[in-house]
Amino acid sequence: MLKDKFQQNIANKHHPKEKLVKTHCSYCGMQCGMNLRVDTDKNTIIGVEPRYDWPVTRGKMCPKGVTAYQQTNHQDRLLKPLIRDDASKKGTKEGFREASWDEAYDLIARRFKELQAEYGKDTLSVFSGVSMTNEKCYLTGKFARVGLQTRYIDYNGRFCMASAAAGFLRSFGIDRGSTLPWTDIHQTDCLFIAGSNTAECHPTSMFRVWEVQNRGGYLIVVDPRETPIARRADVHLDLRPGTDLALANCMVNLLIQNGHADQEYIANYTSGFEETQEIVKIFTPEYTSEITGVAPEKLIRAAEIFGKAPNAIVMFARGIEQQVKGADNVSAYTNMCLVTGKIGRPKSGVATLTGQGNGQGGREHGQKSDLLPGYRKLTNPKHVQEVCEVWGITPEEMPLPGVSAFEMFELMEQKTIRGLYLLCSNPAVSAPHLNYVRSVLKDLDFMVCADFFLSESAEFADVVLPSVTWSEDEGTVTNLEGRIIKINKAQEPLGESKPDWLIHVELAERLGRGDYFRHLQTASQVADEFRLASKGGYADYYGATWDKIDRQDGVFWPCKDEADTGTPYMFEDHKYFHPDGRAKICALPYRPSAEEPCEEYPLRLTTGRVVYHYLSGNQTRRIPFLRDMCPEPYVEVHPETAQQYGIAHDEVVRLFTRRGECFYKVKVIEAIRKDTVFVPYHYGYEQSVNLLTIAALDPMSRMPEFKVCAAQITKLPDAAKEASQ
């Protein structure tokens, strides 16, 4: 009887009807496959399951991916537009009131028109992000150049992927983040990974990394810290931050000297070898050790392993890219594959571990200051004409190239730029030299921010527009392999939030530019125009229809037409995209970092991620589990360095540079160089390490040098210590 009653209670209890929506994670470039669990009665996402059918990650997910769905119905979601009536409260959460979309749009249109009438079209700017679909990224570029008619647009990939793009363009004549599929990684004989804490930043790649070693292959890691992957490496090249170019030149020199250069490949398919050979001669293991701090025998062993491996893959990430010579670092490490001919075939090539979810696609289709859809160049009249025909404007109406992200802040300070439309980015945390950037944002005449949370940057805005999360819209993104994949809608937008592409369309109407946008009323209509606009460009997506993406588990670009199945392997025909059809082996003299240590600032400060957080932390710091796992930043210090400064584990210290100061707890750890300190960068306000970083820019990529600057630590007096806690 008791059993019958229990079963009746179970039967009477409401069990939601569920459906699974096939999609991908919202965070890094891995774009791990997932199924979102949706309560169909309430139209609400209630959970997540891994996708074992997704070939890239095979059911693997990291802590961020497992909890990503919790963004969508989070209590902090922005549900209505916000207007600030009191400009004196900029830079705080105070002074906002809820408003209707009509009131917000009317205010934005009026202020934008006023500023342009007084100061010219280019007084407005757009700063966007690449955690958006290709369709949104495409329409953001079109909105800036056709809706606002301004030249000033750039994106947060300038702080993330710009050096990889510049280096690949110089070496290959084209920029795709990986020359081979990720499903090849575990089959290679040698992985050479530089500047990537892969186990924390791209953990769902690690089963492939370990398989290389399980099969008898080798793992070489270049990193100033003994990260989890570095601890398992066959060779850990523990260099000083900022010295990668010397190390890469040494590798190339040793590969040539020891007979591992593929002379036939070099002669038939490359240029620049002789000049490079001459440049790298001075980078002997002993000389390179003086610069990098890496023992000569380690350098010799690493080159021997790479040179003798039948197949090898060079991989890298922000550690080598976020430097004033980041583009040079990318080309220098790429030289290792070009000199040995280990590229353009299965199990060998070059790959960058992309930081943002659409770091590849987001830079290809018009958000960069000098590019148009399909990776076309604004400086090429033919490219401009091709895009103008799709957009319905004349070449004379196309704005000129603008400037890079940080340089836009400089133009804001100079009052050349007076208005900003910010979306899907948080530069009040993620930009370097934050005291400067925050003061510039506060002094803008008018700022609009579109986001689904009130970020630290949104606090500087005059109007905040509520956008949707990734699971409330559909479209495509391009993962770190160059594989175009589909994001599917799982839930209707929460509250009055709207997709960014729709905000562009509706705002263009208010600005009197609706003729160029009003035909785009669905995400699929944006996708059709986007594919057409990319057609014929280097990054040609025209053949990557949504149906084909579903059929093939993604489509590698370029994909030129309906019959084209895509391009998993780049350069299989050994044809590169320079005018002579050859790859460029780049001769790159070494140069130091912008700010070397000195007596006053003797330490090297470097920054990076932890596994529990993403970028500026605007999303992940709101998820209880992720926040609890790593609630605050810290500074890693070697035990001998801690002893030298008289500081202890968990003690709060003052870490400072020429640009600012922060107060962090010390993590005394042997897994870092004695001359280096490390701070994770996911935290806002006065905890942001970017208060300390330098805004020195790579002359080619315009990437700031986040990864190295001169710093100092001081022990706090007891009274100050108590106050900081």
Side-chain angles (χ1 to χ4, degrees):
M1 179 136 179
L2 184 61
K3 182 178 179 181
D4 291 342
K5 187 174 182 181
F6 176 77
Q7 290 177 333
Q8 185 63 45
N9 288 338
I10 292 293
N12 291 337
K13 188 176 180 180
H14 171 69
H15 288 283
K17 295 179 181 177
E18 268 190 47
K19 69 176 180 180
L20 296 179
V21 176
K22 182 173 71 173
T23 191
H24 297 269
C25 180
S26 62
Y27 292 123
C28 81
M30 289 299 297
Q31 290 295 283
C32 302
M34 60 168 59
N35 290 307
L36 290 175
R37 296 173 51 213
V38 180
D39 180 337
T40 55
D41 290 339
K42 298 181 179 179
N43 186 41
T44 302
I45 300 169
I46 58 174
V48 64
E49 293 179 357
R51 277 180 56 196
Y52 294 94
D53 65 328
W54 176 238
V56 181
T57 51
R58 296 182 185 171
K60 308 293 189 297
M61 295 178 69
C62 82
K64 296 185 293 295
V66 169
T67 56
Y69 75 95
Q70 295 177 21
Q71 301 172 25
T72 303
N73 297 294
H74 196 281
Q75 62 184 9
D76 290 350
R77 279 289 303 276
L78 296 173
L79 303 180
K80 291 185 177 183
L82 302 176
I83 290 177
R84 189 195 301 276
D85 293 320
D86 185 354
S88 68
K89 294 183 178 179
K90 276 191 173 186
T92 74
K93 291 183 173 70
E94 307 301 321
F96 287 112
R97 62 174 173 83
E98 290 186 346
S100 68
W101 277 97
D102 281 339
E103 183 184 8
Y105 280 154
D106 286 345
L107 175 59
I108 294 167
R110 176 172 62 81
R111 292 294 289 126
F112 278 0
K113 287 178 180 178
E114 288 173 351
L115 287 171
Q116 288 186 317
E118 187 168 356
Y119 302 107
K121 298 291 186 185
D122 293 333
T123 200
L124 299 182
S125 63
V126 176
F127 190 115
S128 54
V130 291
S131 292
M132 302 191 293
T133 63
N134 287 312
E135 290 74 15
K136 291 177 181 178
C137 293
Y138 159 75
L139 208 61
T140 298
K142 180 181 176 181
F143 177 76
R145 295 187 174 102
V146 179
L148 296 179
Q149 300 172 277
T150 180
R151 67 189 293 184
Y152 292 122
I153 174 173
D154 208 50
Y155 75 132
N156 66 6
R158 190 71 68 173
F159 297 160
C160 184
M161 300 303 302
S163 289
F168 284 145
L169 283 168
R170 177 171 52 189
S171 295
F172 303 139
I174 195 170
D175 163 32
R176 199 181 85 177
S178 181
T179 65
L180 73 169
W182 227 245
T183 48
D184 272 26
I185 289 173
H186 64 285
Q187 303 178 61
T188 196
D189 303 299
C190 175
L191 280 179
F192 188 104
I193 302 179
S196 169
N197 179 9
T198 316
E200 291 200 72
C201 300
H202 297 86
T204 54
S205 281
M206 291 307 298
F207 75 101
R208 298 188 186 277
V209 174
W210 301 146
E211 181 61 18
V212 172
Q213 290 183 306
N214 292 342
R215 289 177 42 256
Y218 292 90
L219 172 63
I220 301 166
V221 172
V222 183
D223 202 301
R225 302 166 65 218
E226 191 179 53
T227 60
I229 188 173
R231 284 197 291 275
R232 280 280 301 270
D234 295 285
V235 183
H236 174 205
L237 303 175
D238 50 341
L239 81 176
R240 295 185 181 104
T243 62
D244 287 274
L245 186 52
L247 190 148
N249 279 347
C250 179
M251 290 295 105
V252 173
N253 181 39
L254 289 172
L255 290 169
I256 295 170
Q257 296 300 321
N258 296 335
H260 300 303
D262 185 334
Q263 296 296 342
E264 183 178 354
Y265 192 92
I266 290 168
N268 291 335
Y269 306 119
T270 73
S271 65
F273 175 74
E274 290 79 10
E275 185 183 358
T276 300
Q277 184 178 24
E278 193 61 34
I279 283 285
V280 301
K281 276 182 180 178
I282 66 168
F283 291 93
T284 63
E286 293 73 22
Y287 175 64
T288 305
S289 181
E290 292 176 11
I291 297 172
T292 64
V294 179
E297 57 270 23
K298 287 186 176 182
L299 297 168
I300 294 168
R301 179 62 175 149
E304 179 186 29
I305 291 171
F306 186 90
K308 290 182 176 179
N311 295 290
I313 302 172
V314 172
M315 306 174 75
F316 39 75
R318 308 303 80 69
I320 77 161
E321 297 163 21
Q322 291 177 325
Q323 299 180 27
V324 289
K325 47 190 177 293
D328 285 358
N329 291 338
V330 169
S331 290
Y333 280 117
T334 298
N335 283 347
M336 293 173 61
C337 286
L338 292 175
V339 164
T340 57
K342 292 172 181 171
I343 195 166
R345 66 176 198 243
K347 308 176 190 177
S348 290
V350 183
T352 182
L353 290 133
T354 308
Q356 295 192 64
N358 198 20
Q360 179 72 57
R363 68 182 184 257
E364 297 168 348
H365 299 296
Q367 293 192 117
K368 288 182 79 172
S369 60
D370 59 343
L371 292 184
L372 292 170
Y375 229 110
R376 292 181 173 90
K377 296 181 180 179
L378 266 169
T379 52
N380 185 317
K382 180 176 181 292
H383 290 184
V384 171
Q385 178 64 46
E386 289 168 345
V387 174
C388 285
E389 289 174 3
V390 176
W391 286 354
I393 63 174
T394 65
E396 292 72 26
E397 293 176 283
M398 182 71 76
L400 297 171
V403 298
S404 72
F406 192 84
E407 290 170 303
M408 287 207 301
F409 294 126
E410 294 174 331
L411 292 181
M412 292 173 196
E413 182 190 30
Q414 299 165 18
K415 297 298 183 181
T416 299
I417 294 175
R418 292 175 174 265
L420 171 64
Y421 177 27
L422 174 70
L423 63 152
C424 192
S425 191
N426 192 12
V429 175
S430 62
H433 194 359
L434 275 183
N435 283 320
Y436 171 79
V437 170
R438 291 172 181 175
S439 68
V440 166
L441 292 176
K442 191 168 186 178
D443 202 37
L444 279 169
D445 287 29
F446 190 70
M447 175 176 163
V448 179
C449 180
D451 208 328
F452 47 82
F453 293 132
L454 190 69
S455 68
E456 289 87 349
S457 298
E459 294 176 13
F460 289 91
D462 297 279
V463 180
V464 180
L465 302 176
S467 59
V468 299
T469 63
W470 101 107
S471 59
E472 297 164 290
D473 196 18
E474 62 180 348
T476 61
V477 300
T478 310
N479 78 346
L480 76 180
E481 308 164 281
R483 187 193 305 239
I484 309 160
I485 59 179
K486 181 71 164 48
I487 301 296
N488 292 309
K489 185 176 182 179
Q491 178 181 307
E492 291 301 315
L494 201 65
E496 296 181 18
S497 61
K498 296 184 179 185
D500 301 270
W501 63 263
L502 182 58
I503 294 172
H504 295 334
V505 171
E506 294 178 344
L507 194 50
E509 192 73 50
R510 301 293 178 122
L511 292 165
R513 306 291 288 175
D515 288 350
Y516 303 97
F517 293 86
R518 71 171 66 98
H519 61 286
L520 304 172
Q521 293 297 317
T522 66
S524 62
Q525 289 173 337
V526 179
D528 288 340
E529 182 176 296
F530 152 63
R531 289 190 302 107
L532 181 62
S534 79
K535 185 177 183 179
Y538 285 152
D540 191 332
Y541 282 41
Y542 183 68
T545 63
W546 287 4
D547 286 344
K548 185 185 292 185
I549 291 168
D550 283 339
R551 287 198 310 271
Q552 295 186 188
D553 280 330
V555 177
F556 289 86
W557 72 262
C559 180
K560 299 179 180 181
D561 53 42
E562 186 176 335
D564 189 350
T565 57
T567 313
Y569 296 96
M570 296 292 286
F571 320 127
E572 277 193 296
D573 57 2
H574 307 305
K575 292 180 180 178
Y576 295 90
F577 288 74
H578 290 302
D580 62 3
R582 293 170 174 262
K584 176 72 172 174
I585 298 174
C586 301
L588 302 162
Y590 180 75
R591 50 197 171 91
S593 300
E595 191 176 75
E596 290 285 297
C598 61
E599 186 176 349
E600 187 178 1
Y601 297 94
L603 299 171
R604 294 174 186 260
L605 168 64
T606 191
T607 67
R609 295 189 185 189
V610 298
V611 68
Y612 299 106
H613 290 298
Y614 177 68
L615 300 185
S616 73
N618 184 40
Q619 299 162 75
T620 54
R621 281 185 278 120
R622 299 174 194 272
I623 306 300
F625 170 74
L626 301 178
R627 183 179 64 244
D628 292 346
M629 289 297 98
C630 196
E632 61 184 4
Y634 49 83
V635 54
E636 288 185 358
V637 181
H638 190 275
E640 291 186 24
T641 310
Q643 185 177 22
Q644 176 187 342
Y645 283 88
I647 55 181
H649 185 74
D650 273 352
E651 179 178 349
V652 176
V653 296
R654 174 178 175 249
L655 179 65
F656 62 102
T657 67
R658 291 177 174 88
R659 290 154 297 282
E661 65 178 13
C662 292
F663 297 89
Y664 297 127
K665 281 187 178 180
V666 172
K667 179 183 284 190
V668 177
I669 187 168
E670 292 184 356
I672 193 166
R673 291 181 56 91
K674 299 171 188 176
D675 56 7
T676 301
V677 293
F678 166 86
V679 180
Y681 61 67
H682 310 287
Y683 301 86
Y685 303 114
E686 300 315 301
Q687 291 185 320
S688 177
V689 70
N690 282 324
L691 290 163
L692 313 183
T693 53
I694 189 170
L697 305 182
D698 180 308
M700 190 175 184
S701 69
R702 315 310 289 166
M703 168 83 82
E705 189 158 49
F706 291 101
K707 289 303 180 189
V708 55
C709 65
Q712 178 60 300
I713 283 178
T714 55
K715 188 178 176 69
L716 297 184
D718 290 341
K721 197 180 302 182
E722 291 175 8
S724 68
Q725 293 172 340

